[in-house]
Amino acid sequence: MLTSAISAGEVSLVRIPVIWSEECLRHEPAGEVWLGVRDEGTEVPARAVVLRDALAAAGAPVLPARPHGDEIVRTVHDPELVDHLAGVWQAWAGAGLPAEYGRDRVVPYVFPTPGMLSGLPLRSPPAVPGRAGLFCYDTMTLVGPGSWAAIRGAADAALTAADLVGSGERLAYALCRPPGHHVTRGAYGGSCYLNNAAIAAQALRAAGARRVAVIDIDAHHGNGTQMIFYERPDVWYGSLHVDPGAGWFPHYAGYAAERGRGDGEGFNRNLPLAPGTGDDGWLAAVSTLCDEARTLAPDAVVVSLGLDAAATDPESPLCVTETGYRAAGRLVAALGPAVLIQEGGYDLASLGGLAVAALSGAAEGAGLDASS
Ligand SMILES: [Zn+2]
């Protein structure tokens, strides 16, 4: 009876399991160094609380992330990156940088670019301030005392959601914080540390999915996910995002010409969008990606669910509404069993409504009965 009382424009009950890790709150980047100045930053713990509370209020069951071993994480990422993230705060603090120099977060200051090395072998410098730039490619992605617990908690949330979908659940949503899609195999940045979406995709492959489609609807290009799977035909990556050629992060990737390499040739698809793109243009691109993914007959889908394409979001110039996110949820969830991974989304006032809209749409697209 409840279902019949819900009209198209209202929020339906969200029955999708929300995987939550309390550890996610322990990451306090305390700002970001952007263009040389430390700003407050927008990737704050309150994001996760807002998302959890809004989804719980809409009726979604909130389930704890289960701890997982490192096997999948170390398949997706270079073990050196994982070890660095796990230990860099202790090394930083041990070197006296917070206590003696007032450097209260890990921020790199020198980067071993190809131009700097000019063919020299890439060393691992013994000094931690030097080593930081070996793994982090920007100045915006700070590490503090609780960061590793949160980073690992987010990966556990992704792995738990993948377990559920791998064992027959139609949809599961991992409330990952910090987000992950900017992390490549060996380098982190863009407020991301481990690539939760890639970890979920790899876990689904390990659980028996022959082909996985990753659909990235965050406002920014998921350069990390793209490059992790760039030479692989078993995980297709498709993204729509604000055009990096129009001046947007990640600047160096996300162009339409990037189609994969080697065995992965043709298994990567980028749809850059002009700043200002609203529901119509954005949904047309979501639809194009879904149509292309469908031709691969994926056994499972991973959705990088960034909510920062919203008109209200401070981090992108896209102008998507709740109605748009609900329609996108419908489209992506209709593709098949799907793990939804939280990526960006920074406007605390609208974030909860956007998540409920996206997950309500996903429930509709998957044909889940809202009243049960
Ligand atoms: Zn984003």
Side-chain angles (χ1 to χ4, degrees):
M1 295 310 289
L2 188 56
T3 309
S4 60
I6 294 170
S7 71
E10 291 175 334
V11 168
S12 61
L13 288 179
V14 176
R15 203 164 62 83
I16 302 166
V18 170
I19 311 303
W20 165 260
S21 168
E22 200 71 26
E23 300 292 300
C24 285
L25 303 177
R26 294 180 59 190
H27 172 53
E28 297 191 8
E32 58 183 36
V33 180
W34 187 61
L35 309 186
V37 175
R38 185 151 166 183
D39 291 333
E40 269 184 13
T42 51
E43 205 295 282
V44 294
R47 296 176 59 242
V49 175
V50 164
L51 289 165
R52 180 197 61 190
D53 291 354
L55 292 166
V62 178
L63 309 176
R66 288 192 302 100
H68 285 68
D70 267 358
E71 191 190 4
I72 300 283
V73 171
R74 287 174 183 268
T75 301
V76 165
H77 292 295
D78 286 337
E80 292 79 8
L81 169 65
V82 180
D83 293 340
H84 174 80
L85 286 167
V88 69
W89 173 257
Q90 282 78 3
W92 189 267
L97 292 162
E100 293 172 37
Y101 300 95
R103 268 55 183 181
D104 66 342
R105 292 293 183 271
V106 178
V107 191
Y109 81 107
V110 60
F111 301 91
T113 62
M116 178 195 185
L117 293 177
S118 305
L120 287 175
L122 184 61
R123 295 173 186 280
S124 178
V128 62
R131 206 160 64 240
L134 189 54
F135 296 97
C136 183
Y137 60 74
D138 65 28
T139 60
M140 306 187 304
T141 311
L142 279 50
V143 173
S147 296
W148 175 243
I151 294 161
R152 203 54 188 76
D156 280 332
L159 286 163
T160 304
D163 287 346
L164 287 175
V165 170
S167 57
E169 191 82 36
R170 182 65 176 75
L171 293 174
Y173 164 81
L175 206 171
C176 296
R177 177 185 181 268
H181 72 151
H182 293 305
V183 189
T184 67
R185 186 168 168 76
Y188 70 96
S191 300
C192 300
Y193 302 82
L194 291 176
N195 194 316
N196 306 309
I199 287 165
Q202 188 67 37
L204 289 164
R205 286 282 292 115
R210 285 161 305 156
R211 217 173 281 119
V212 176
V214 180
I215 302 210
D216 190 329
I217 65 171
D218 186 275
H220 306 98
H221 180 244
N223 57 304
T225 317
Q226 166 174 296
M227 296 322 296
I228 285 168
F229 298 116
Y230 208 55
E231 299 187 353
R232 286 173 53 172
D234 57 329
V235 180
W236 180 89
Y237 177 75
S239 175
L240 70 161
H241 46 266
V242 61
D243 187 356
W248 291 85
F249 189 87
H251 296 287
Y252 293 93
Y255 295 87
E258 295 156 16
R259 298 301 305 265
R261 194 166 56 210
D263 290 345
E265 179 79 46
F267 291 87
N268 193 82
R269 186 76 159 113
N270 287 326
L271 299 178
L273 302 173
T277 299
D279 282 355
D280 288 350
W282 189 75
L283 285 169
V286 176
S287 207
T288 298
L289 288 183
C290 289
D291 288 346
E292 294 191 17
R294 195 174 284 108
T295 65
L296 302 165
D299 301 304
V301 176
V302 172
V303 181
S304 266
L305 178 58
L307 299 168
D308 49 359
T312 47
D313 199 277
E315 299 290 353
S316 100
L318 300 179
C319 297
V320 178
T321 67
E322 276 188 18
T323 306
Y325 267 104
R326 187 168 185 156
R330 258 185 235 119
L331 288 167
V332 294
L335 285 172
V339 177
L340 313 175
I341 301 284
Q342 183 62 46
E343 301 284 1
Y346 304 98
D347 175 53
L348 295 176
S350 60
L351 201 50
L354 290 162
V356 170
L359 266 67
S360 297
E364 292 158 8
L368 299 178
D369 180 4
S371 67
S372 57

